[in-house]
């Protein structure tokens, strides 16, 4: 029998991801009629408080008492003060690295990716986390290939997933791997989860990364956001800030994680999303409003960023809008 260790680190702030993992694998064991995993909650303290003491988790064992485990699940962390959280979990970080050397597979849920990345095991690998934590993650771990459009990443027994309740898709993915497809489908039906969902792009809200010290780049961001319907020359924008185009691109990427053109595109598509969610404008009207005249170019870019065609996005999030549009 294998051992599944659900880690309960200090600074863990998501009761659902701990309870969810426990319930999914318990249900999988029962359905499979064989205890594929012995499931245990392990921590670095006897009790971890959540939500200002409203809830508490009492791990069954301490990680130092576990010599070997087969699968580790790292739940979501509070990401408002990640350096402090990581410092409080130095023992857990060392333990995860040791278990990996002994062959353990590791899965992080949402912002649990910060703890996993701090072990160095994600260096050069693809990783996902909650889209709202992407800027901070990229700042702390620039050597990780962050792809927040993905709900699940899988590289040689190291798994990560996107944000919030998308962790259920990761659990189903692991259940299918360790049990079988029938067990995963059963769990999907019991917990009413849309199985095989692969992207969190439709749920992403692009806010623009402005938590940086480059004042000229912040001015450029503000200009791009204030002139969405205009055709903007990036060469002229760079020149107006007395920056060479090459240096402008380099500084923009360093500050925001996007090239100037990518940033402009994401701002335009974010505005288009909001119009499609709440208004009654046609898709063509929305397209013109954000500065596009080429229908195919707009549709392709919208789908690339959101994972959905404009009409599908509108029909999904705006029930009051007409669904039969000639587009």
């Amino acid at each position: 029998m294998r051992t599944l260790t659900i880690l309960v680190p200090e600074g863990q702030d998501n009761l659902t991801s701990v309870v969810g993992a426990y319930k999914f694998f318990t249900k999988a064991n029962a359905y499979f009629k064989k205890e594929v995993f012995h499931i245990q909650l392990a921590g670095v303290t006897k009790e971890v408080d959540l939500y200002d003491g409203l809830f508490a988790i009492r791990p069954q064992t301490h990680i130092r008492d576990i010599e070997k485990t087969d699968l580790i699940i790292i739940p979501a962390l509070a990401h408002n003060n990640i350096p402090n959280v990581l410092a409080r979990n130095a023992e857990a970080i060392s333990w995860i690295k040791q278990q990996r050397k002994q062959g353990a597979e590791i899965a992080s849920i949402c912002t649990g990716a910060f703890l996993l990345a701090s072990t160095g095991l994600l260096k050069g690998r693809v990783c996902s986390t909650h889209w709202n934590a992407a800027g901070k993650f990229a700042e702390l771990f620039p050597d990780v290939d962050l792809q927040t459009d993905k709900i699940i990443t899988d590289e040689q027994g190291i798994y990560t997933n996107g944000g919030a309740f998308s962790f259920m898709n990761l659990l189903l993915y692991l259940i299918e791997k360790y049990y079988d497809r029938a067990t995963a489908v059963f769990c999907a039906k019991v917990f009413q989860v849309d199985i095989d969902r692969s992207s969190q792009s439709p749920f992403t809200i692009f806010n623009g990364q402005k938590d940086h010290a480059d004042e000229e780049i912040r001015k450029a961001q503000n200009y791009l956001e204030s002139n969405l319907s205009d055709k903007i020359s990036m060469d002229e924008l760079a020149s107006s800030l007395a920056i060479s185009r090459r240096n402008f691109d380099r500084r923009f990427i360093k500050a925001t994680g996007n090239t100037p053109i990518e940033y402009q595109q994401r701002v335009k598509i974010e505005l288009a999303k909001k119009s499609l969610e709440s208004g009654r404008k046609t898709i063509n009207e929305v397209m013109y409003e954000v500065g596009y005249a080429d229908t195919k170019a707009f549709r392709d870019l919208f789908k690339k960023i959101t994972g959905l065609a404009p009409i599908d996005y509108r029909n999904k999030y705006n029930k009051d809008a007409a669904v039969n549009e000639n587009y």
Side-chain angles (χ1 to χ4, degrees):
M1 183 194 306
R2 296 184 177 97
T3 298
L4 163 62
T5 301
I6 302 171
L7 186 64
V8 186
E10 287 291 290
Q12 194 272 327
D13 78 335
N14 191 297
L15 183 63
T16 306
S17 59
V18 174
V19 175
Y22 183 83
K23 291 187 70 174
F24 268 66
F25 278 91
T26 299
K27 184 64 70 175
N29 276 344
Y31 177 82
F32 200 67
K33 296 185 172 66
K34 176 184 177 182
E35 195 173 354
V36 174
F37 278 108
H38 166 65
I39 307 164
Q40 59 187 355
L41 271 64
V44 294
T45 57
K46 292 183 177 180
E47 182 174 296
V48 175
D49 288 331
L50 298 90
Y51 306 111
D52 298 322
L54 185 61
F55 301 104
I57 302 176
R58 299 180 183 89
Q60 297 157 304
T61 188
H62 195 286
I63 57 172
R64 71 170 69 102
D65 296 324
I66 301 174
E67 292 185 7
K68 188 178 187 306
T69 191
D70 298 286
L71 175 62
I72 300 168
I73 293 181
I74 305 172
L77 302 175
H79 66 278
N80 54 342
N81 191 355
I82 282 293
N84 176 264
V85 171
L86 296 181
R88 292 163 60 193
N89 285 285
E91 184 177 5
I93 291 168
S94 297
W95 179 78
I96 292 168
K97 289 193 288 187
Q98 180 59 38
Q99 292 299 320
R100 179 62 178 174
K101 287 181 181 178
Q102 295 174 197
E105 297 200 338
I106 306 165
S108 68
I109 289 173
C110 191
T111 49
F114 283 88
L115 187 61
L116 179 55
S118 69
T119 66
L121 295 173
L122 286 177
K123 185 176 182 180
R125 296 179 185 269
V126 172
C127 168
S128 186
T129 188
H130 197 294
W131 56 262
N132 201 32
K136 177 59 68 174
F137 187 94
E139 178 185 335
L140 291 176
F141 305 108
D143 55 359
V144 177
D145 183 5
L146 183 62
Q147 297 186 15
T148 53
D149 61 311
K150 295 183 180 297
I151 283 183
I152 299 168
T153 68
D154 174 356
E155 285 200 50
Q156 299 176 322
I158 293 182
Y159 314 90
T160 68
N161 99 282
F165 289 95
S166 71
F167 80 88
M168 295 182 187
N169 292 94
L170 172 63
L171 298 180
L172 292 176
Y173 182 85
L174 293 172
I175 287 169
E176 181 170 356
K177 175 175 181 177
Y178 282 102
Y179 296 77
D180 57 21
R181 177 70 176 182
T183 305
V185 169
F186 173 78
C187 290
K189 291 180 177 179
V190 168
F191 295 107
Q192 299 187 38
V193 181
D194 185 10
I195 197 169
D196 293 333
R197 189 160 61 90
S198 60
S199 174
Q200 63 175 340
S201 294
F203 306 101
T204 301
I205 300 173
F206 183 70
N207 292 316
Q209 163 65 314
K210 293 184 179 178
D211 186 20
H212 57 79
D214 196 325
E215 184 60 32
E216 283 77 16
I217 297 303
R218 192 177 293 110
K219 289 178 181 178
Q221 290 174 265
N222 290 335
Y223 183 84
L224 291 172
E225 292 169 12
S226 300
N227 297 274
L228 289 178
S229 61
D230 298 341
K231 290 185 178 180
I232 299 173
S233 164
M234 296 303 171
D235 288 331
E236 292 178 3
L237 180 56
S239 179
S240 71
L241 296 167
I243 307 173
S244 71
R245 176 60 194 274
R246 183 176 180 181
N247 198 30
F248 178 62
D249 285 357
R250 181 187 63 78
R251 287 169 58 176
F252 206 104
I253 293 170
K254 181 179 180 181
T256 71
N258 296 112
T259 67
I261 292 175
E262 288 171 344
Y263 189 90
Q264 182 188 44
Q265 290 174 336
R266 292 189 67 99
V267 171
K268 286 174 178 282
I269 295 303
E270 190 61 34
L271 178 60
K273 285 165 56 181
K274 291 177 181 177
S275 294
L276 293 172
E277 289 166 13
S278 58
R280 287 187 171 275
K281 294 178 180 177
T282 67
I283 292 172
N284 280 342
E285 287 173 333
V286 171
M287 176 183 73
Y288 298 139
E289 183 180 58
V290 298
Y292 286 94
D294 185 324
T295 301
K296 185 179 185 304
F298 174 71
R299 183 173 57 238
D300 290 349
L301 178 63
F302 193 98
K303 189 168 185 178
K304 177 183 177 182
I305 291 177
T306 70
L308 295 171
I311 193 167
D312 294 330
Y313 186 91
R314 188 190 62 180
N315 291 344
K316 185 178 182 69
Y317 291 107
N318 189 344
K319 295 300 183 183
D320 293 330
V323 296
N324 296 315
E325 179 177 331
N326 183 19
Y327 176 64

